[in-house]
Amino acid sequence: MISNPNIILPEPTLRRLPWYLAYVEILKARKVEFVSSTQISRALSVDAAQIAKDLSFLSLRGKTRIGYEVDALAKALSDFLGFRTLHKAFVFGAGSLGRALMHDSGLANYGLDIVAGFDIDCEKIGSTVGDVPIYHMDSLSEMMNRHDATIGILTVPAECAQDTADTAIGEGIRAIWNFTPYRVKVAEGIVMTNTSIYAHLALIYNRLNAES
Amino acid sequence: MISNPNIILPEPTLRRLPWYLAYVEILKARKVEFVSSTQISRALSVDAAQIAKDLSFLSLRGKTRIGYEVDALAKALSDFLGFRTLHKAFVFGAGSLGRALMHDSGLANYGLDIVAGFDIDCEKIGSTVGDVPIYHMDSLSEMMNRHDATIGILTVPAECAQDTADTAIGEGIRAIWNFTPYRVKVAEGIVMTNTSIYAHLALIYNRLNAES
């Protein structure tokens, strides 16, 4: 089994591996049996040597002239990326974006198991979004005991982002996935990942204006 | 008015400007009147000279010893980033992620106006998600005539990503916001932005494993 690599992979490699996986999954659905790095290279416009290097992190080896077995490569990539293991997560903030993520059942296919949501709005407490129950922040400690979640998904208003992250980390959350536009600071040893959808929007608007 | 800059801003600047905006909005809510780049620097752990350089793209000037007027800076940043102008967008793919984005009414506060969704699943056609009506892909041409959308948000299955992007661009979509794990290729002149949530998940899992 190739799962749970305990080496720190370079970010660009972690960005490219899911591309390869998506492409290989398509080949698998088309019943293609083998794929070479040259073929992946042509399909995705990534340098073939780079692909070979990225795939060398996996303990899978391609065969000369034939390439990688599609089924095995898909499984190895998915394992290696952690998508075949469920990782428990809490969502902090049951506003529109938080609810949207709780509704997105597709994330479970990528190893994300959202087990609870938290908010401070009494109208939301006790309700469920999709299958996810919403609790008051005051119940966080109790819920951590029950679920032992490692990932905190941050979708609170920007002004609460830092405080909420601090509280979550204080209760044992070890990774913050920040969707707020606020730049949250965390202590060393805590994993921090930003999905900056507002920055991406700004980028799109800027490029559109510049083109026109 | 500082909106619609038609210069191409560097990506790192576009990533940082929304942080400044989020911070300045918090100050505004707290009725703070002035803010200096030194203050922003301390709050966000960004080099003060970098902040001054980023803010120099705006035609706003801070006052010596006092800094920037908070209200004016918030407005200028928001304008400059394109968040105060509505940009019409279509969502392609009304699966869980597509529906999640259509449900996220907060995006409108950042200038994104999702006017229609498209799918090929007959069960979904004719329904609405939030306020957004879902049409068949065959109606795309007609809807482009009606709405003149510029942004196509791609949330289809990976195997349809390239074809759907091609079709959307063929009908006049000028920017693709790709949420699929597939690496979509577009012609020069088309804006392409990836929000790689699966790569971000892979990054979180990898760092968590490496830490433990």
Side-chain angles (χ1 to χ4, degrees):
Chain A
M1 196 52 60
I2 309 144
S3 59
N4 297 345
N6 46 22
I7 49 158
I8 294 195
L9 291 171
E11 278 200 47
T13 298
L14 281 168
R15 203 161 47 231
R16 286 185 299 260
L17 289 174
W19 295 343
Y20 309 155
L21 175 59
Y23 176 63
V24 170
E25 289 281 10
I26 292 171
L27 295 183
K28 191 177 146 185
R30 288 183 197 150
K31 314 276 184 211
V32 175
E33 276 188 76
F34 291 93
V35 65
S36 64
S37 39
T38 321
Q39 223 176 316
I40 303 177
S41 168
R42 268 198 299 264
L44 306 182
S45 303
V46 175
D47 181 60
Q50 183 65 68
I51 293 172
K53 199 176 160 195
D54 287 339
L55 293 181
S56 74
F57 284 107
L58 283 66
S59 51
L60 194 77
R61 289 291 160 264
K63 288 177 197 164
T64 324
R65 265 189 282 270
I66 304 182
Y68 299 90
E69 209 226 311
V70 165
D71 265 23
L73 182 56
K75 191 170 172 309
L77 278 167
S78 186
D79 259 338
F80 190 75
L81 290 168
F83 295 162
R84 295 164 66 95
T85 312
L86 279 179
H87 302 77
K88 286 189 184 177
F90 288 161
V91 170
F92 296 97
S96 56
L97 181 58
R99 301 173 76 83
L101 291 168
M102 290 185 259
H103 270 299
D104 183 7
S105 51
L107 291 169
N109 298 331
Y110 292 87
L112 192 73
D113 184 18
I114 300 178
V115 289
F118 294 88
D119 208 290
I120 50 167
D121 176 352
C122 295
E123 301 232 332
K124 289 173 185 162
I125 316 298
S127 68
T128 59
V129 179
D131 299 327
V132 182
I134 310 297
Y135 300 101
H136 193 280
M137 273 300 276
D138 292 348
S139 309
L140 176 57
S141 190
E142 185 193 337
M143 288 302 136
M144 269 305 273
N145 286 336
R146 190 184 301 178
H147 293 294
D148 201 20
T150 48
I151 300 169
I153 303 174
L154 209 57
T155 56
V156 293
E159 64 269 24
C160 311
Q162 186 65 58
D163 281 354
T164 307
D166 291 344
T167 305
I169 292 163
E171 292 294 344
I173 286 289
R174 292 172 45 226
I176 297 289
W177 191 6
N178 181 27
F179 281 85
T180 80
Y182 194 77
R183 193 179 192 215
V184 172
K185 292 189 270 189
V186 296
E188 214 175 316
I190 298 295
V191 179
M192 179 76 215
T193 305
N194 295 293
T195 294
S196 312
I197 53 177
Y198 310 107
H200 294 174
L201 276 174
L203 182 69
I204 293 170
Y205 301 157
N206 178 258
R207 297 301 188 257
L208 274 174
N209 273 320
E211 299 273 346
S212 62
Chain B
M1 195 53 59
I2 309 146
S3 58
N4 297 346
N6 45 23
I7 49 157
I8 293 196
L9 291 171
E11 278 201 46
T13 299
L14 281 168
R15 204 161 46 230
R16 286 185 298 261
L17 289 174
W19 295 342
Y20 309 156
L21 175 60
Y23 177 63
V24 170
E25 291 280 8
I26 292 171
L27 297 182
K28 191 176 148 188
R30 288 183 197 149
K31 314 275 184 214
V32 175
E33 276 189 75
F34 291 94
V35 65
S36 65
S37 39
T38 321
Q39 224 176 316
I40 303 177
S41 167
R42 267 197 299 265
L44 305 182
S45 302
V46 176
D47 180 60
Q50 183 66 66
I51 294 172
K53 199 176 160 196
D54 288 339
L55 293 180
S56 74
F57 284 107
L58 282 67
S59 51
L60 195 78
R61 291 289 160 266
K63 288 177 196 164
T64 323
R65 265 188 284 270
I66 304 181
Y68 300 90
E69 209 225 310
V70 166
D71 265 22
L73 182 56
K75 191 170 172 308
L77 277 167
S78 187
D79 259 339
F80 190 75
L81 290 169
F83 295 162
R84 294 165 65 96
T85 313
L86 280 180
H87 303 76
K88 286 190 186 177
F90 287 159
V91 171
F92 295 97
S96 56
L97 181 59
R99 300 173 77 84
L101 291 167
M102 291 185 258
H103 270 299
D104 183 6
S105 51
L107 291 169
N109 297 330
Y110 293 87
L112 192 72
D113 184 18
I114 299 177
V115 289
F118 295 87
D119 208 291
I120 49 167
D121 176 351
C122 294
E123 301 232 333
K124 290 172 184 162
I125 316 299
S127 69
T128 59
V129 179
D131 298 328
V132 182
I134 310 298
Y135 301 101
H136 194 278
M137 273 300 276
D138 292 347
S139 310
L140 176 56
S141 189
E142 184 193 336
M143 288 303 136
M144 270 304 276
N145 286 337
R146 190 184 302 177
H147 292 294
D148 201 21
T150 47
I151 301 169
I153 303 173
L154 208 57
T155 57
V156 293
E159 64 268 25
C160 312
Q162 186 65 59
D163 281 354
T164 307
D166 291 344
T167 305
I169 292 163
E171 292 294 343
I173 286 289
R174 291 173 43 227
I176 297 289
W177 191 7
N178 180 27
F179 282 84
T180 80
Y182 194 78
R183 192 176 193 217
V184 172
K185 292 189 271 189
V186 296
E188 215 175 315
I190 298 294
V191 179
M192 180 76 216
T193 305
N194 294 292
T195 294
S196 312
I197 52 176
Y198 310 106
H200 294 174
L201 277 174
L203 182 70
I204 293 169
Y205 301 156
N206 178 258
R207 298 300 188 257
L208 274 174
N209 273 320
E211 299 273 346
S212 61

